[in-house]
Amino acid sequence: MDYKQLVTDALAPALPDLDPADILAKLEQPKTSKQGDLAFPTFTLAKVLRKAPQMIATDVVEKIDQSNFEKVVAMGPYVNFFFKKDVFSADILNQVLSQADHFGDGKIGEQGQVPIDMSSPNIAKPISMGHLRSTVIGNALANILSKLDYKPVKINHLGDWGTQFGKLITAYKMWGSEEAVKADPINNLLKYYVRFHQEDQEHPEMDDVARDWFKKLENGDEEATELWQWFRSESLKAFKKIYARLDIDFDSYKGEAFYNDKMQEVVDLLESKNLLHESQGAEVVDLSKYDLNPALIKKSDGATLYITRDLAAAIYRKRTYDFVQSLYVVGNEQTNHFKQLKAVLTEMGFDWADQIHHIPFGLITSNGKKLSTRSGRVILLDKVLDDAVDLAHDQIEAKNPDLKDKDAVADAVGVGAVVFHDLKNERMNSFDFNLEEVVRFEGETGPYVQYAHARAESILRKAGSPELATDGQKISDPAAWDTLKLLSEFPATVVRASTEFEPSVVAKYAIHLAKAFNKYYGNTKILVEDDELNARLALVKAVSIVLKEALRLLGVKAPDEM
Ligand code: ARG
């Protein structure tokens, strides 16, 4: 059991007026081990209980069941807990070793389905670092939720519909060639699109042509549909190569186009509830009571919009999955869009609108500048991953030139470094991307955590990979305490990451555990023959299990050697 929970459970009966969650939140780490392993401060209770804090501390100590602890003592205004370290270590090691990668599994999800709208790049454009964030955050949330018995559904809501396809078809018909698209679909399609935007400044008639093509597409015209399908499948092929490198798959690729025939229902519903108003020829839903701009549902030419498709998608997902939560991992810049989406659904009378959560995230900049497709400042993900793998290769070559499977390890380390870096930052924080730092083996990086795991595995190999009893592994050495405590915190960490929708909670935890373990390993001889040898190996094994599982939740591999 979590060492903080153990103390909270001991305190709760002595403090009946306090919510256990408040007790837990108040617990402090004493400055030195002479003051125990965990302390509960009583100052804030003095007012309510009309007693001096010292008195409260003394009273609480008298009321506490101390059997789980070596001792519990009042020290001034604090109640200080000293753990029976050998008992605690045997308990936590038994849990980790016997549950192995199921350690930390939870039941709170009760099999509830959770669609996660993630990645969702736009057809005929490259996947950018921004889409990477959505992809890896969404994937990590899916892993975390699934560990807690939710049923995540990873949905790639492809940007495969909209007026830009009219422009793309127009541009292709003017300058495109089949061979060029086949040879390098994303780059050439992007080139046509960019050129369209350069030339339509001087030739505004191109916009009329483009609008016509999109109309044709919406009406199922054969030529338009064929071209669109071809662009889509070529783009998707390229996207899937990147997903394969990240080892991420999707349960659904139903993009915006899928909702083309489902929007009339939305419009009809809005109409029947008298929510549609005309504004300059367009149809809008007034959202002033939410302090939001009106939601534009239909343009004056009858074309539907991004939000119309999202309304249809939200309703479709509720019907299909009967979700308990519906997540959208989409950049911070679309916050308004998702507020509008929720508000319109609320206006339509769907009480499940409050199960919809936009999970926003900050921008990635490169050398302080924003990355965008229009300005050409795109960092292509494929290239970033290639460079990261090269850097990982260099470091492996320097550190461990005889390693077998060097290529596979460099791949796991390079790709893992990029993913981990993205996830260790709280998602709302913007961050600057510097590849050299990301792939370093020291510091708070993915390779650092992977290396701690590989080191644990190498100790076990050196010890002859013994079968270790799960039970009775007692460690009295105080140097192991930090690592043991952290192991016990893993289950609560996973839960917190799920309620905050914040994979960085798991990433930061992994860094802490790797650091604590490295410190322990640096100060303690593990492979000496004495009474606690097996217990120390059990601790090493437990660290390896939990680091690997934490990395797995983040979508990062943990090679056994590196
Ligand atoms: N395709 C959009 C973009 O790249 C993201 C779509 C997000 N998902 C959604 N349901 N709106 O900006």
Side-chain angles (χ1 to χ4, degrees):
M1 141 121 60
D2 187 326
Y3 80 112
K4 285 187 180 160
Q5 194 62 49
L6 215 67
V7 167
T8 305
D9 290 353
L11 281 165
L15 296 162
D17 299 335
L18 281 191
D19 185 342
D22 288 338
I23 300 182
L24 188 101
K26 283 199 169 74
L27 297 175
E28 289 179 15
Q29 198 60 56
K31 294 224 165 50
T32 76
S33 57
K34 285 200 191 69
Q35 293 162 306
D37 302 308
L38 208 55
F40 177 75
T42 57
F43 327 95
T44 52
L45 304 179
K47 246 204 176 133
V48 202
L49 299 176
R50 296 161 178 273
K51 249 196 262 177
Q54 286 84 344
M55 283 280 287
I56 301 174
T58 321
D59 288 354
V60 166
V61 166
E62 265 165 30
K63 287 189 198 143
I64 266 181
D65 171 7
Q66 301 206 5
S67 54
N68 277 321
F69 304 95
E70 185 188 307
K71 59 182 177 184
V72 181
V73 289
M75 292 184 177
Y78 287 95
V79 182
N80 289 21
F81 291 81
F82 294 75
F83 278 82
K84 284 181 186 160
K85 299 212 167 60
D86 51 349
V87 177
F88 181 81
S89 64
D91 180 47
I92 184 67
L93 292 176
N94 185 20
Q95 279 179 54
V96 180
L97 296 186
S98 61
Q99 295 170 35
D101 55 358
H102 289 293
F103 178 61
D105 284 8
K107 289 267 153 265
I108 53 174
E110 296 180 317
Q111 315 254 321
Q113 305 218 61
V114 185
I116 305 181
D117 187 307
M118 51 184 265
S119 199
S120 311
N122 300 319
I123 293 298
K125 291 192 188 167
I127 292 199
S128 67
M129 289 294 286
H131 291 113
L132 170 73
R133 291 217 80 184
S134 168
T135 310
V136 299
I137 294 172
N139 184 56
L141 289 175
N143 292 336
I144 289 165
L145 289 172
S146 144
K147 190 166 176 71
L148 299 172
D149 203 29
Y150 289 95
K151 298 278 164 240
V153 186
K154 291 182 275 185
I155 301 177
N156 200 327
H157 187 76
L158 291 171
D160 58 0
W161 205 247
T163 46
Q164 70 270 30
F165 288 93
K167 296 178 187 169
L168 191 60
I169 294 173
T170 308
Y172 174 75
K173 295 202 65 94
M174 290 175 81
W175 316 298
S177 81
E178 196 175 328
E179 302 82 73
V181 173
K182 281 206 170 126
D184 187 356
I186 304 274
N187 276 326
N188 283 315
L189 291 173
L190 180 68
K191 228 187 267 166
Y192 305 151
Y193 186 71
V194 170
R195 182 159 170 200
F196 183 98
H197 274 281
Q198 286 161 350
E199 301 206 1
D200 77 337
Q201 312 279 347
E202 279 171 37
H203 302 280
E205 70 279 2
M206 281 168 57
D207 286 316
D208 297 327
V209 180
R211 211 165 323 173
D212 274 352
W213 272 115
F214 184 56
K215 265 259 108 94
K216 283 192 193 166
L217 185 60
E218 281 199 303
N219 295 331
D221 170 85
E222 194 177 331
E223 187 184 3
T225 308
E226 233 165 65
L227 279 172
W228 168 80
Q229 237 155 18
W230 180 47
F231 296 155
R232 186 183 190 273
S233 69
E234 290 296 330
S235 299
L236 202 52
K237 256 191 248 165
F239 295 159
K240 283 188 176 170
K241 276 191 203 146
I242 293 178
Y243 297 139
R245 291 192 77 174
L246 295 169
D247 203 8
I248 290 177
D249 51 16
F250 291 87
D251 301 300
S252 160
Y253 277 97
K254 291 194 169 74
E256 295 188 40
F258 176 76
Y259 300 99
N260 191 30
D261 63 359
K262 299 179 178 53
M263 283 182 287
Q264 191 53 47
E265 188 197 346
V266 175
V267 174
D268 291 347
L269 260 172
L270 287 167
E271 237 152 34
S272 72
K273 305 211 165 183
N274 273 328
L275 291 167
L276 279 186
H277 304 286
E278 212 192 285
S279 165
Q280 295 161 358
E283 306 268 357
V284 305
V285 177
D286 179 72
L287 298 174
S288 48
K289 76 170 175 202
Y290 298 86
D291 244 339
L292 293 168
N293 289 330
L296 188 52
I297 302 293
K298 233 177 173 181
K299 287 206 228 171
S300 50
D301 66 1
T304 56
L305 287 122
Y306 185 50
I307 194 164
T308 326
R309 295 189 277 280
D310 256 329
L311 285 164
I315 294 168
Y316 176 85
R317 288 176 196 172
K318 186 67 198 178
R319 282 183 191 149
T320 309
Y321 304 111
D322 191 23
F323 55 68
V324 293
Q325 288 175 10
S326 183
L327 311 185
Y328 295 78
V329 187
V330 184
N332 197 14
E333 68 282 358
Q334 292 194 28
T335 296
N336 239 333
H337 167 75
F338 286 101
K339 281 190 181 154
Q340 289 183 320
L341 179 66
K342 267 179 101 152
V344 175
L345 290 168
T346 308
E347 284 298 283
M348 291 171 93
F350 294 124
D351 54 1
W352 47 263
D354 57 9
Q355 293 169 327
I356 286 186
H357 301 288
H358 175 214
I359 316 293
F361 52 82
L363 274 179
I364 305 183
T365 54
S366 159
N367 302 319
K369 296 207 184 85
K370 189 181 158 178
L371 311 165
S372 81
T373 335
R374 281 281 177 89
S375 65
R377 279 193 63 77
V378 261
I379 293 193
L380 300 182
L381 180 53
D382 231 2
K383 173 92 174 71
V384 170
L385 294 180
D386 286 343
D387 292 350
V389 172
D390 285 346
L391 283 175
H393 240 294
D394 294 347
Q395 299 193 64
I396 290 166
E397 212 58 69
K399 273 190 163 227
N400 191 359
D402 300 328
L403 181 69
K404 357 179 240 294
D405 294 336
K406 255 188 255 182
D407 287 344
V409 176
D411 209 66
V413 173
V415 174
V418 173
V419 173
F420 189 90
H421 177 76
D422 194 316
L423 293 175
K424 80 163 190 200
N425 291 285
E426 267 158 54
R427 59 182 159 71
M428 279 306 277
N429 289 351
S430 299
F431 63 86
D432 207 66
F433 191 84
N434 173 327
L435 200 60
E436 306 269 318
E437 260 169 52
V438 169
V439 191
R440 273 180 29 203
F441 277 36
E442 298 86 28
E444 307 196 332
T445 65
Y448 175 79
V449 178
Q450 287 173 318
Y451 199 67
H453 166 267
R455 175 178 277 176
E457 284 298 313
S458 115
I459 297 171
L460 295 168
R461 278 195 303 273
K462 261 193 211 142
S465 310
E467 275 293 323
L468 295 163
T470 58
D471 211 5
Q473 303 289 14
K474 294 185 177 176
I475 302 187
S476 52
D477 181 3
W481 182 236
D482 276 343
T483 307
L484 286 163
K485 269 191 319 198
L486 276 165
L487 288 174
S488 83
E489 283 180 59
F490 183 58
T493 304
V494 178
V495 171
R496 192 150 65 83
S498 81
T499 53
E500 293 173 10
F501 303 116
E502 189 63 90
S504 69
V505 168
V506 173
K508 292 199 163 94
Y509 169 85
I511 292 170
H512 287 152
L513 181 59
K515 270 191 190 161
F517 174 65
N518 281 342
K519 194 169 160 202
Y520 170 64
Y521 169 84
N523 294 332
T524 308
K525 285 213 171 69
I526 292 177
L527 296 175
V528 277
E529 289 285 346
D530 65 14
D531 292 353
E532 288 192 357
L533 172 63
N534 271 340
R536 285 193 300 273
L537 290 173
L539 175 64
V540 173
K541 177 85 199 152
V543 169
S544 165
I545 288 171
V546 175
L547 284 179
K548 185 173 190 160
E549 179 64 1
L551 288 173
R552 185 193 67 82
L553 291 178
L554 300 173
V556 175
K557 294 194 178 107
D560 283 344
E561 268 181 90
M562 64 186 267

